[in-house]
Amino acid sequence: MGFILSRIQDTVQQYADVISKVSGVDVEVVDNNLFRVAGTGIYSGNISTDMSDEGYVYKHILKTGETKVIYCPGDDVLCRSCPSKTSCKEKIEISMPIEIEEEIIGVIGLVGSTEEQKTLILQNEKLFLEFIKQISYFISAKVMEERNKEIFGSIIDTLDSVINYMDQGVVVIGDDNIIRSDNDSAKKHLGLSELEGKEIIVRSTGDSINNIAEYKIEIEGKTIFAIGGMYSLGLKDKLYKNIFVFKDMKSFKSDIYEATSTHETFETKNIIGKSNETLSLINNIKKVAKSNSTVLITGESGTGKEMVATSIWRESDRKDQKFVAINCAAIPESLLESELFGYVKGAFSGADPKGRIGKFELANQGIIFLDEIGDMPIYLQTKLLRVLQEKNITRIGSNQVIPIDVKVIAATNTDLKEMMIKKKFREDLYYRLNVIPINIKPLRERPDDIVELVEHFISKYVRLLNKTYSHIDSNTMNLLKNHYWKGNVRELENTIEFMVNMMEADGIINNRTLPVDFFEDMLSGNKTDIESATIIPLKELEKREIKKAAQVFGDSTEGKKLAANSLGISLATYYRRLEEIQKN
Ligand SMILES: Nc1ncnc2c1ncn2[C@@H]1O[C@H](COP(=O)(O)OP(=O)(O)OP(=O)(O)O)[C@@H](O)[C@H]1O
């Protein structure tokens, strides 16, 4: 604070000159560091000098805050230690502190250096004291003003840099719709390198999403949708009427997308398997990706339908756009419509009345993946069909028709044809979706993929669980190859994860590491629960397992040894039983 007086030195000097002229005596002003800020007459040649070696009276005033009249400078008790007390030119001196909020920031001195001046001061002492008091107030008021200006200026500077760092666009618009000021984000959101001086038309669409109003912006022949707020600056100056704080819809959607998309992304090179079925699947994905037609992926649960959908996206021209997945079975029927098409603030008094963007809008320009499409209620099927035909959507509660360009990939593990017969799936929608059908075979029908998938998942989990791996027993690999895998690749992956967890320090995966349900599945012949509740005679069960072992391991000598081993009987017993079965 101390140097403030010197910062308004010119103003203080002007005051000193006026006082001197009016009073006919000399004036001197020092700051709280005894720096001479202003001076007239005998002091005019010594402005901006350090007075710490001489200003004994001023030092006292800075310390005590008292006003002092020194009638005999040089002889006064305060001048006792002053080295120039004997040669002091002053005849009389009035000194008064300059204060701001009880802080002494300097001293103003009125000095008579001639006998006439001394008489003048003595005759008008009271008047002079009142006069300096007023001037001291003026100086403090000026300092206050300067200080406030500095604080205000630094607030403005801080605000300016905050506004420039904001990822929201900010534009100040005049009554004439001309941009007067803007930040870098505004340029980014509007896709222009310069904004100042350009005309901008901002109109509300009437919709509100996430509790934020939506606007349609027109600038330089472009139309941009944004969400944000328009605020009046409340100034008289019409050139600075409103401030518009906004984010363009595209970035807003990207933020939501980043926050909500959790799916694992696949590329065709990550699809494991060398069976003819898998090779032709990969080939089809590449072909299908090049077209914009709707794809319907069918296959049992766990066969890789979502994997195929994301691979189509990664191979397509839309790979840099969004892939938005929605599982129609996982969302309550009452919410599915709003999830798909979005809704605006006030559309209904639901749990989230603020308004929300729908998946179709989020996926615009990209791909929407409608998983478990068979679970979509019939009334929504009608709406979906209309969206696919008309290529636009309307948010629930809004009048705005929004054009949509999305590629649709649907998937199901239910038999849609059968659902059509039962009138649970609309025939017209089925044909609209089934433009390009892709069927993924169950894993049991492509055993040639199993060895590679097993090895892939073993190395994945060995790495993830930080285990040491040596090899997998060939007998165990045979069991895995011949398993029914009703949960398909997902079940295989889970089984391998279990086995790697169970693996001993020797790093060998064998029958002992297999999960119990694996054997239960084998015993039940992978039939449904009701069927497996049927009690099978032990003799029959034994026959079935021996036959299965013969099938799995073949009839080479080595295979027979493995079969006997996995059945837990001696080789001789295995030969004998097998012979009996074959005779019957
Ligand atoms: N050929 C494959 N190569 C590598 N991983 C695969 C393969 N097929 C399936 N998977 C894996 O199997 C798991 C199940 O796949 P996905 O979720 O795509 O199946 P889905 O058919 O969509 O299942 P659901 O019908 O239950 O939703 C995933 O972890 C996936 O990565």
Side-chain angles (χ1 to χ4, degrees):
M1 180 73 230
F3 292 102
I4 274 284
L5 260 186
S6 46
R7 257 189 244 161
I8 56 161
Q9 193 168 15
D10 288 350
T11 315
V12 178
Q13 180 62 43
Q14 276 168 16
Y15 279 127
D17 288 337
V18 171
I19 305 166
S20 176
K21 268 195 194 119
V22 171
S23 63
V25 297
D26 288 335
V27 178
E28 185 178 44
V29 180
V30 296
D31 72 8
N32 57 355
N33 284 313
L34 289 169
F35 175 81
R36 189 182 270 124
V37 181
T40 66
I42 53 169
Y43 308 110
S44 52
N46 294 322
I47 301 170
S48 300
T49 52
D50 182 6
M51 289 185 63
S52 39
D53 287 341
E54 36 179 319
Y56 286 86
V57 177
Y58 294 161
K59 267 183 212 162
H60 174 80
I61 290 167
L62 284 171
K63 214 160 112 193
T64 61
E66 287 172 19
T67 296
K68 270 267 175 218
V69 183
I70 309 286
Y71 296 99
C72 294
D75 294 338
D76 195 277
V77 50
L78 289 177
C79 306
R80 230 177 9 219
S81 338
C82 178
S84 13
K85 63 180 175 194
T86 49
S87 55
C88 185
K89 291 183 201 136
E90 298 168 4
K91 301 283 181 222
I92 189 165
E93 183 184 336
I94 303 179
S95 304
M96 186 178 280
I98 307 170
E99 290 171 90
I100 295 183
E101 292 161 356
E102 290 173 14
E103 183 192 355
I104 304 170
I105 59 162
V107 180
I108 177 164
L110 233 72
V111 181
S113 47
T114 63
E115 283 305 327
E116 293 79 51
Q117 286 177 335
K118 184 171 179 173
T119 314
L120 185 70
I121 292 176
L122 285 173
Q123 282 172 350
N124 301 287
E125 192 179 323
K126 260 194 164 165
L127 211 69
F128 272 103
L129 277 169
E130 192 51 41
F131 181 53
I132 323 179
K133 202 169 165 187
Q134 287 306 322
I135 297 296
S136 161
Y137 284 155
F138 284 149
I139 295 178
S140 347
K142 188 74 196 164
V143 169
M144 281 289 266
E145 187 187 314
E146 214 48 40
R147 187 203 251 179
N148 287 344
K149 237 196 244 166
E150 259 174 44
I151 295 173
F152 191 63
S154 77
I155 291 176
I156 295 281
D157 285 352
T158 316
L159 270 180
D160 248 11
S161 38
V162 168
I163 285 173
N164 251 326
Y165 270 112
M166 269 167 64
D167 71 332
Q168 304 231 41
V170 178
V171 284
V172 175
I173 312 170
D175 213 14
D176 50 3
N177 289 328
I178 301 293
I179 297 177
R180 294 271 132 62
S181 173
D182 62 89
N183 68 352
D184 290 347
S185 299
K187 294 188 185 86
K188 205 177 82 201
H189 290 302
L190 297 175
L192 292 168
S193 56
E194 264 320 308
L195 291 179
E196 220 173 300
K198 295 209 157 87
E199 188 186 44
I200 185 167
I201 310 288
V202 182
R203 284 196 193 93
S204 161
T205 66
D207 288 358
S208 216
I209 294 154
N210 275 22
N211 227 3
I212 317 170
E214 188 191 39
Y215 290 88
K216 184 178 175 183
I217 305 172
E218 274 159 38
I219 184 164
E220 297 254 290
K222 293 206 280 183
T223 302
I224 295 143
F225 284 86
I227 56 156
M230 178 77 86
Y231 310 94
S232 164
L233 283 171
L235 300 175
K236 282 208 184 92
D237 192 342
K238 288 188 170 169
L239 297 180
Y240 297 87
K241 189 166 180 248
N242 292 317
I243 182 161
F244 181 47
V245 182
F246 68 102
K247 187 166 226 179
D248 76 296
M249 224 32 187
K250 224 171 153 189
S251 337
F252 172 67
K253 285 184 203 163
S254 293
D255 291 351
I256 298 182
Y257 179 69
E258 297 305 330
T260 54
S261 78
T262 49
H263 51 81
E264 192 186 350
T265 302
F266 266 85
E267 291 181 31
T268 42
K269 65 172 192 279
N270 306 122
I271 299 181
I272 311 291
K274 290 275 180 290
S275 67
N276 288 337
E277 290 81 0
T278 299
L279 293 179
S280 101
L281 177 73
I282 294 173
N283 200 19
N284 284 340
I285 290 173
K286 289 184 174 161
K287 276 198 263 173
V288 163
K290 299 295 164 229
S291 116
N292 265 335
S293 305
T294 308
V295 180
L296 180 64
I297 307 170
T298 51
E300 287 180 10
S301 179
T303 44
K305 295 185 290 298
E306 178 153 0
M307 172 192 78
V308 168
T310 58
S311 309
I312 294 176
W313 170 47
R314 299 311 307 158
E315 292 286 333
S316 78
D317 296 341
R318 294 174 185 247
K319 63 172 176 290
D320 296 326
Q321 303 294 335
K322 299 176 185 72
F323 175 91
V324 178
I326 178 161
N327 187 323
C328 304
I331 296 167
E333 246 186 69
S334 56
L335 295 182
L336 191 54
E337 183 176 359
S338 56
E339 278 289 324
L340 285 172
F341 308 120
Y343 59 95
V344 296
K345 187 179 169 187
F348 39 65
S349 49
D352 179 9
K354 295 187 296 225
R356 203 160 166 186
I357 205 102
K359 301 281 187 201
F360 262 98
E361 241 187 287
L362 211 55
N364 209 356
Q365 322 279 300
I367 290 183
I368 190 162
F369 176 51
L370 305 170
D371 201 3
E372 316 248 14
I373 189 84
D375 285 81
M376 183 176 277
I378 211 103
Y379 82 94
L380 258 190
Q381 293 177 22
T382 317
K383 267 202 151 182
L384 175 63
L385 182 66
R386 201 173 326 125
V387 168
L388 298 183
Q389 277 163 349
E390 292 169 12
K391 297 195 185 333
N392 57 46
I393 61 130
T394 308
R395 300 169 185 153
I396 302 173
S398 163
N399 296 323
Q400 236 195 120
V401 175
I402 300 168
I404 291 288
D405 163 26
V406 279
K407 177 180 166 94
V408 176
I409 303 178
T412 183
N413 54 22
T414 49
D415 186 347
L416 291 185
K417 281 195 180 139
E418 197 168 318
M419 285 184 75
M420 280 191 312
I421 297 167
K422 291 183 182 156
K423 302 268 179 256
K424 286 193 172 152
F425 204 84
R426 285 187 64 126
E427 210 174 322
D428 40 13
L429 179 63
Y430 175 79
Y431 291 112
R432 187 70 192 71
L433 292 174
N434 200 33
V435 181
I436 302 176
I438 290 190
N439 176 258
I440 312 175
K441 287 256 165 350
L443 187 57
R444 77 192 80 89
E445 286 177 31
R446 44 187 169 103
D448 291 351
D449 286 343
I450 291 181
V451 173
E452 213 186 325
L453 279 166
V454 166
E455 279 161 2
H456 167 75
F457 291 131
I458 289 178
S459 60
K460 173 175 168 182
Y461 288 103
V462 161
R463 198 177 55 246
L464 280 177
L465 300 169
N466 205 11
K467 292 259 206 165
T468 309
Y469 170 65
S470 157
H471 65 274
I472 175 166
D473 195 285
S474 58
N475 174 13
T476 310
M477 181 63 102
N478 268 325
L479 288 180
L480 295 173
K481 259 167 60 180
N482 290 285
H483 194 67
Y484 188 80
W485 298 119
K486 64 175 178 234
N488 293 291
V489 184
R490 184 179 293 117
E491 186 192 356
L492 172 68
E493 177 167 359
N494 292 344
T495 304
I496 301 295
E497 182 180 352
F498 177 87
M499 292 172 90
V500 174
N501 268 292
M502 290 298 122
M503 194 168 66
E504 301 288 349
D506 59 7
I508 299 170
I509 291 186
N510 52 29
N511 290 0
R512 280 191 304 277
T513 59
L514 278 164
V516 181
D517 359 346
F518 184 86
F519 293 106
E520 281 170 1
D521 278 355
M522 279 174 74
L523 286 175
S524 70
N526 299 292
K527 298 277 173 56
T528 65
D529 288 345
I530 294 167
E531 280 172 313
S532 66
T534 320
I535 309 299
I536 306 164
L538 285 179
K539 219 42 213 151
E540 185 54 36
L541 208 57
E542 183 187 285
K543 202 163 101 186
R544 192 195 276 184
E545 287 313 294
I546 290 170
K547 269 174 148 177
K548 197 196 287 172
Q551 251 176 14
V552 171
F553 300 105
D555 64 4
S556 66
T557 318
E558 186 53 27
K560 283 177 176 143
K561 271 191 208 155
L562 286 170
N565 201 20
S566 58
L567 288 165
I569 52 178
S570 70
L571 186 60
T573 314
Y574 177 69
Y575 270 115
R576 209 170 46 249
R577 298 275 154 84
L578 199 61
E579 214 172 73
E580 280 166 21
I581 292 166
Q582 278 157 356
K583 262 193 215 151
N584 296 328

